[in-house]
Amino acid sequence: MVLDLPTLFVACMLVAGLSVAICVATWLQDRQQDAMLWMAGCCFLGGAGTLLRFELPERLGILSGNLAFFLAFASLWAASRVVDGRRPSALPFLLPCAIWILAFWIPGFAESLRARIVLASILDLMLVAMTMFQFWSKRRSGPPARWMIVGLLAFQSLLLVGRIIRTGIASGAGLSNQALHSLGLVALTTIGFSLMVTFAMILLVKERAERQHRSDAETDGLTGLPNRRLFDKAMPLAYAKARQTGNSLALLMIDVDAFKRFNDHHGHPAGDACLRTVATTLAAGVRPGDITCRYGGEEFAVILPQTDQVGAMAVAERLRLAIRALALPHGDADDKSIVTISLGCAAAAPCDAPDVGSASLIAELLRAADQALYLAKTSGRDATRAIEVVLAEPVMPQPLTCLSAASAPLHAPEGPRLQ
């Protein structure tokens, strides 16, 4: 097949310009996505490389055109780093260019078509492989667009490997014909590669942005903990898993004692700092699989999978002592001298529950943990109380048995939350 080089050249310029415009427009919509600026640079340099290779005198065009291609692949590598939150380094930009420039000082290199094609292909292949590895390293947590880019880069690598092999075995006349077709192939692959990689990068950036927005929507801005929205999603999942595996599920409800008076005495900035410290301590005091959330205001909740009542009480007491160990001054003469927390604990074995909707059974677990917290508050604060939940018939509320060793009423009365 004969490739019309002028037509391919014009098409390459149009595609490169269009790709740059699309990347810049995508970045303007969300200026936190700096990877799209690197991608715009990749498309621009790819088009510039084709322009330089076709328009400049042969020796200068070969030198500058390939330098532009090296920088284009290096920019794509930088985009792969930035999209994963990493900083690109200068080495992939400088090393291939330095090798290429130094090679032109070697006598006979510039005149050797075989040496030029092989070296340029090897340097391109090195940059493509680095970029492919960068995208591949995050494949498990990445969206489908990442796999699309990996596939495109793998195909580009195969083209480069084939080019090296064909150049190595080609005869003199065959090599000249191959070089002519190689120019057309470079322009053709630039067109296809620019379009497809640009499209895949836009998908990747959009999916990453949506994932970040979902994470922000489920993260408390003050403490960095999961918020009430994520808690409401996590509880049914934890309950379903507990029912499936036959394990117990425990829930802790936690309240910072007399926090309103702390705010009144120290001010809201100090109150925010106190909540952040408490949140960090609570999150550090549980297992990696446990979920610590800010439930609202000065209240926190901890979901404890695979934990029975005894284990949950042990965790709760450990958290209470950890907050006391901080010795944060409360400063209220009418209350305790340091910041403390009260905890309510409830646990259940969902596998023993009747086969009804999980919402009412989860609500029962929440109600029990909240009433246990009420017991802890009414018994003097800085305390841990527990209520065992028996998930039986959902129509009639079940008796709640207080398991705390401390003296407290067996059934917690309904009433307003104490500070």
Side-chain angles (χ1 to χ4, degrees), residues 278-335:
V278 170
T280 301
T281 305
L282 294 177
V286 297
R287 302 167 300 182
D290 301 334
I291 303 174
T292 306
C293 305
R294 187 183 181 192
Y295 197 73
E298 67 272 22
E299 285 191 83
F300 299 87
V302 182
I303 302 173
L304 301 172
Q306 301 181 15
T307 306
D308 59 12
Q309 193 82 308
V310 175
M313 282 291 289
V315 173
E317 189 64 13
R318 185 171 68 245
L319 295 178
R320 185 185 70 83
L321 295 176
I323 298 299
R324 282 193 62 87
L326 295 175
L328 298 175
H330 194 287
D332 190 341
D334 297 330
D335 210 323

Side-chain angles (χ1 to χ4, degrees), residues 72 86 158 194 210 218 225 242 246 270 324 333 369 375:
R86 301 181 182 181
L158 291 176
S194 297
E210 291 174 2
E218 295 175 347
L225 292 179
R324 282 193 62 87
L375 290 176

Side-chain angles (χ1 to χ4, degrees), residues 220-225 256 259 262-263 267-284 292 294 297-300 323 326 328 339:
D220 177 60
L222 176 64
T223 64
L225 292 179
V256 181
F259 186 73
F262 181 94
N263 259 345
H268 289 285
D272 291 345
C274 175
L275 288 178
R276 284 193 291 267
T277 302
V278 170
T280 301
T281 305
L282 294 177
T292 306
R294 187 183 181 192
E298 67 272 22
E299 285 191 83
F300 299 87
I323 298 299
L326 295 175
L328 298 175
V339 172

Side-chain angles (χ1 to χ4, degrees), residues 26-217:
T26 303
W27 175 76
L28 289 174
Q29 292 178 356
D30 185 356
R31 301 196 179 191
Q32 294 182 347
Q33 306 299 335
D34 292 337
M36 294 312 301
L37 289 181
W38 285 106
M39 193 63 210
C42 171
C43 297
F44 174 80
L45 289 166
T50 305
L51 175 65
L52 294 172
R53 183 65 183 87
F54 276 98
E55 294 298 315
L56 292 182
E58 183 178 6
R59 184 182 179 93
L60 184 58
I62 293 170
L63 175 63
S64 59
N66 281 286
L67 287 176
F69 283 127
F70 299 150
L71 293 175
F73 283 122
S75 297
L76 180 58
W77 171 82
S80 71
R81 297 275 296 179
V82 172
V83 80
D84 288 332
R86 301 181 182 181
R87 295 183 60 182
S89 64
L91 186 61
F93 290 89
L94 300 178
L95 183 60
C97 295
I99 293 175
W100 186 248
I101 293 172
L102 290 174
F104 265 74
W105 288 88
I106 300 175
F109 176 81
E111 291 74 23
S112 174
L113 180 60
R114 191 187 308 274
R116 295 200 313 264
I117 294 177
V118 169
L119 180 59
S121 299
I122 290 175
L123 295 175
D124 285 339
L125 180 61
M126 177 186 70
L127 293 169
V128 171
M130 289 175 57
T131 307
M132 184 168 60
F133 175 78
Q134 181 64 40
F135 281 113
W136 176 263
S137 64
K138 298 289 185 178
R139 65 192 183 280
R140 293 183 179 178
S141 58
R146 185 178 295 269
W147 287 99
M148 182 178 177
I149 296 175
V150 170
L152 290 170
L153 292 170
F155 180 72
Q156 184 72 17
S157 299
L158 291 176
L159 290 178
L160 291 169
V161 170
R163 187 184 183 195
I164 294 171
I165 295 174
R166 289 195 309 272
T167 302
I169 63 177
S171 62
L175 185 60
S176 299
N177 292 331
Q178 179 184 318
L180 182 62
H181 285 82
S182 179
L183 290 177
L185 183 62
V186 167
L188 192 61
T189 55
T190 300
I191 293 173
F193 191 75
S194 297
L195 281 175
M196 289 187 288
V197 172
T198 299
F199 175 71
M201 277 295 295
I202 292 174
L203 288 180
L204 178 61
V205 167
K206 292 290 187 181
E207 290 168 347
R208 181 175 177 269
E210 291 174 2
R211 192 166 62 250
Q212 184 63 46
H213 292 159
R214 287 195 299 267
S215 176
D216 292 342

